Amino acid sequence: MNRTPFRTRIKFCGLTRAGDVRLASELGVDAVGFVFAEKSPRRLKAEEARAMRQALAPLVDVVALFMDNSQDEVREVVRQVRPSLLQFHGDEDDAFCRGFGVQYLKAVPMGGNGSREDGIALHRRYPSAAGFLFDSHGGGESGGSGRTFDWGRLPAGLQKPFVLAGGLTPDNVFQAVRDTMPWGVDVSSGIEAAPGVKDGDRMRRFVEEVRRADCNAD
Ligand SMILES: O=C(O)c1ccccc1NCC(=O)[C@H](O)[C@H](O)COP(=O)(O)O
């Protein structure tokens, strides 16, 4: 039985309820994402995220997600929530993203008819990034859309880990992992009953399907 070279990491994003945070931990996800982007229906206040952090089991990371938030807003979330990773979804540059003393992922818009991103150019633009998150939004648009993009447009020449996002569900994530072999996968809408309200059965099935893809157990 051939296996993927490593265990595909899983990030559940846009959690707003402590019970969903606890269940995500127990299902074995690697990270939960708290959204602080202003336009998001899943947006949290720093103190809400800090409180929800208490529901996390050990060995599960917190990712704080921003979209062109101010430096003060990011600093306040870092102070209160203590995320292990930041995710920047807007037009933030490398100098801004690395300015908080926390590793970061840069979200890369793959929606619209933009030209295929060049991996080398991405590394030059974001030399401090720990990795990239390729998502289905267009430039300047929010994430959490529930839409996929053409995975064949993922850039070549990437030297850093990448996370695949955008419209993943329990029904397509097996193929997404097999087709793209990402470092990790990220999901929000695909495990929801409503924006910010996660569905336990969809959460469980999503994790099972990623594990099945890793074991290549067709
Ligand atoms: O999730 C949001 O509401 C959101 C709002 C503004 C900027 C980014 C946002 N989410 C970014 C994420 O990492 C999502 O998990 C990602 O876009 C995938 O979302 P989905 O297609 O719903 O699985």
Side-chain angles (χ1 to χ4, degrees):
M1 178 190 295
N2 64 317
R3 298 172 61 87
T4 53
F6 47 75
R7 182 176 58 79
T8 304
R9 271 57 175 185
I10 300 172
K11 172 185 165 233
F12 280 177
C13 196
L15 281 76
T16 63
R17 303 186 306 176
D20 292 342
V21 171
R22 186 71 203 183
L23 178 57
S25 308
E26 291 167 356
L27 288 171
V29 303
D30 299 275
V32 294
F34 294 145
V35 176
F36 302 96
E38 192 160 336
K39 297 178 191 167
S40 171
R42 305 171 179 96
R43 182 181 190 182
L44 295 172
K45 296 184 179 73
E47 47 273 20
E48 290 171 326
R50 186 186 63 208
M52 270 201 294
R53 219 197 190 297
Q54 306 306 316
L56 268 186
L59 302 179
V60 181
D61 284 339
V62 170
V63 179
L65 190 150
F66 304 96
M67 182 174 180
D68 297 319
N69 294 69
S70 71
Q71 198 174 55
D72 286 346
E73 286 171 335
V74 178
R75 281 190 180 133
E76 181 59 10
V77 168
V78 169
R79 184 182 70 79
Q80 287 208 46
V81 184
R82 297 268 180 250
S84 49
L85 190 64
L86 306 180
Q87 179 182 321
F88 292 103
H89 198 93
D91 291 329
E92 303 89 351
D93 63 16
D94 184 66
F96 180 89
C97 296
R98 71 168 186 258
F100 305 96
V102 183
Q103 276 199 324
Y104 80 88
L105 292 181
K106 184 64 183 77
V108 180
M110 299 297 284
N113 301 315
S115 58
R116 184 170 175 175
E117 284 284 355
D118 173 302
I120 307 299
L122 275 175
H123 291 288
R124 286 201 193 104
R125 278 172 61 198
Y126 299 100
S128 309
F132 298 102
L133 182 138
F134 294 102
D135 200 344
S136 58
H137 61 293
E141 290 178 359
S142 294
S145 69
R147 287 194 315 269
T148 55
F149 68 91
D150 173 4
W151 301 326
R153 294 181 54 233
L154 285 168
L158 282 173
Q159 307 297 318
K160 294 181 180 178
F162 79 88
V163 176
L164 183 69
L168 297 181
T169 71
D171 300 317
N172 67 14
V173 71
F174 175 91
Q175 201 56 52
V177 171
R178 300 308 298 167
D179 287 356
T180 66
M181 302 289 267
W183 174 261
V185 288
D186 166 278
V187 62
S188 190
S189 309
I191 54 170
E192 286 180 336
V197 179
K198 304 306 182 186
D199 174 293
D201 186 53
R202 294 178 69 84
M203 292 163 78
R204 179 183 53 75
R205 287 197 303 119
F206 190 94
V207 173
E208 286 173 351
E209 281 298 284
V210 175
R211 296 293 173 255
R212 185 168 74 91
D214 282 350
C215 298
N216 195 25
D218 280 322

